[in-house]
Structures are given as structure tokens and as C-alpha cells.
Amino acid sequence: MSELLKSGLQVAGEVAIGQLTLVGSTGTYISLADYFIEFNLYESIYNNVLSGDVVISDSRNLISYLPIKGEELLIVNFETPSIKAPISKTFRVYKIENRKIAKDRNTQVYSLKFASIEAFVDSASPIFEPYTGKPTQIAKNIFHKYLKVARSTSIDSSGSKFQSTDEKTELQVLHEASNDITFVTPGWTPIKTINWLAKRSIPATGKACNFLFWETNKQFNYGSKIGRAHV
């Protein structure tokens, strides 16, 4: 028996979707469990935030029921069958693309593009402040002040109200920087500032500035591409 079958997986990268709910700007929401045919979540150490797309087969004209304006939320709960550790996160839908009419003329197929809410909070948070200290600590302070938001939202038992979970996004510093830095942010966004700091963070061992800032499905990370992580 293959390792995939032993672990409960049918194909590599398979996940079990527990919840996939689209929430409109007016609070109207609908479960996409019966409509989605593909769900993709993209994660890379070279991407600051998570992004993805969900392919919808729509025979009920959901777009007219829940107009896509770029302000919708996508509540996602999923897990890898072999791990049984649910991952919950709320994303923001920003685009609809590849819209096509199926051969039956009654069904349309399209993709909803989404990204982490932090990406949208970032664009509305220019920083004009002086900073002094180690780049790792400054990055953590900026993240907590400007980007730390609820990881997910949930629908109450009545199905009429939405509430944020207590769990907040966190920035895990994987490696400490050995240098100090002084600068003034000229209206940069938090993510741009943290990326700027990453390029100037010198690890405790070595002299190469090879720090990165990226998000996984569990947290945000700041550290060197090489070397042992400091936790």
C-alpha cells in the first residue's frame, strides 16, 4: 500500500474542507460547499501573505444574489486528512475571473481570487514614524501595531451575526538579528517597511542579509532562509 493511502490521502496536497462560506458586504452569506469544484491555497517563503482561488460551478446565479464587489469575506476551515489539525482563516475576495458559460447554458463557472485580510489592512496603513533598535524587534512591533488582526470570523448559532475569533495573527521571529538600525518611515506601508528591514537584518552568525517575511497557514514568520531557527 502506498504512503498516500496509509495516511488517508488520495492525492498529494489533498485537504478536507470543513467550511467554505462567502460573506457579502451587507452581511448576506452563503455556503460554497455545494458549488466549489476546486480550492487552491498558495504559500511561499517569497510571498508576504497567503493567496488563493476557488473555482465555482454556479447554476443558481449566486453572483446576482451576492454581488462580488471586492469587499467579500471567505471563511475557510480545512485540514489534511492524515493530520487532523484544522486550520481556520478568513480571507478577503478581491476579484472574479475566468467566467464562462457551460454547455448547458444554465451553469457558469468562474474563479474567486482571495488573499489574507492583512494585505488589505496593509494598504490603508501608511507609517510616518522614527525607529531605532534591532530590525527583528522593530518588525515585530510594526506587525503587532498595524497588521495583527483576527485570523478568522465565525457565524453565531442563530446564523445572523458574525464575530471574530479570539485567535490573532502572530509574527514568529525565527532568527534574531545582530545589528541595530535607525530610520524614519516615509509613509511606507507596514509590509513594505518589514520587507525593507528584512533586507537589512544581519543574522547572529554570518554577514549575509538574507531574512524574509512570509505567511504560512498558521502564522507569519520573519527570519533567515538558512540557519537554525531561534524559537
Side-chain angles (χ1 to χ4, degrees), residues 21-189:
T21 303
L22 183 64
V23 184
S25 57
T26 61
T28 303
Y29 67 92
I30 187 168
S31 172
L32 299 179
D34 295 330
Y35 303 98
F36 87 97
I37 55 179
E38 185 176 322
F39 175 81
N40 300 296
L41 185 64
Y42 306 111
E43 175 185 318
S44 170
I45 63 172
Y46 298 107
N47 293 333
N48 297 134
V49 299
L50 295 177
S51 62
D53 56 74
V54 54
V55 181
I56 304 296
S57 177
D58 179 6
S59 59
R60 294 182 55 189
N61 199 19
L62 299 178
I63 294 181
S64 63
Y65 174 72
L66 191 69
I68 305 299
K69 302 178 180 179
E71 300 176 358
E72 294 71 33
L73 299 179
L74 185 66
I75 303 175
V76 178
N77 183 293
F78 67 95
E79 66 180 9
T80 301
S82 59
I83 298 177
K84 302 298 182 182
I87 296 170
S88 297
K89 185 171 174 63
T90 296
F91 298 90
R92 181 169 168 179
V93 175
Y94 65 89
K95 185 180 181 181
I96 180 171
E97 67 176 16
N98 299 328
R99 188 176 178 183
K100 299 177 182 178
I101 304 299
K103 291 182 179 180
D104 63 6
R105 310 302 296 175
N106 295 317
T107 303
Q108 52 185 328
V109 179
Y110 49 85
S111 297
L112 298 178
K113 307 285 287 187
F114 60 85
S116 295
I117 293 177
E118 290 82 358
F120 302 92
V121 173
D122 173 73
S123 63
S125 306
I127 304 175
F128 298 89
E129 292 186 40
Y131 290 97
T132 298
K134 295 194 178 301
T136 42
Q137 188 57 52
I138 295 174
K140 196 164 188 176
N141 291 342
I142 290 174
F143 182 90
H144 279 230
K145 182 175 181 179
Y146 294 100
L147 296 177
K148 189 173 182 177
V149 299
R151 277 189 58 82
S152 186
T153 54
S154 61
I155 304 171
D156 69 3
S157 57
S158 68
S160 60
K161 295 182 180 180
F162 297 90
Q163 55 190 9
S164 299
T165 60
D166 293 332
E167 183 183 10
K168 304 289 185 179
T169 52
E170 295 290 344
L171 175 62
Q172 179 69 45
V173 175
L174 302 178
H175 305 88
E176 289 292 348
S178 61
N179 60 311
D180 292 293
I181 192 170
T182 298
F183 70 104
V184 178
T185 48
W188 292 339
T189 65

Side-chain angles (χ1 to χ4, degrees), residues 198-218:
K199 294 178 181 179
R200 290 158 179 80
S201 297
I202 300 176
T205 57
K207 298 181 179 180
C209 297
N210 56 10
F211 277 55
L212 293 173
F213 168 58
W214 73 98
E215 183 185 11
T216 67
N217 56 40
K218 294 181 176 61

